[in-house]
Amino acid sequence: MSDAPDRILRIDAVLDRTGLSRSTLYRKIQSGSFPGQVRIAERCTGWRESAIRDWLRNPMFYQVEK
């Protein structure tokens, strides 16, 4: 594992990497089968790159830990 800081990905990068549509992405977040966003600023959110990598390793069985 690298000591590099975890990057924050914006929506377009997440959609590009996952191949999901915007509506499918938000539906998966709602169901707990995709990582949620982190707030960057008052009206700005993104996703941790490490969380997206974890999802990509096993998208069928990914569950958000509560």
Side-chain angles (χ1 to χ4, degrees):
M1 207 154 169
S2 137
D3 289 335
D6 204 3
R7 292 181 45 205
I8 300 296
L9 302 176
R10 300 298 306 274
I11 184 79
D12 289 338
V14 172
L15 296 176
D16 185 52
R17 288 185 187 199
T18 62
L20 298 173
S21 69
R22 188 178 298 256
S23 59
T24 299
L25 175 85
Y26 286 114
R27 191 169 45 250
K28 286 183 165 295
I29 291 169
Q30 196 71 25
S31 72
S33 61
F34 195 85
Q37 306 102 308
V38 293
R39 184 162 302 283
I40 300 168
E42 185 177 330
R43 294 179 47 138
C44 186
T45 60
W47 285 261
R48 293 187 190 285
E49 186 175 33
S50 61
I52 301 306
R53 271 191 261 116
D54 288 346
W55 183 85
L56 287 169
R57 277 190 212 107
N58 196 2
M60 292 287 293
F61 298 104
Y62 182 90
Q63 284 297 310
V64 174
E65 296 177 17
K66 295 181 182 185

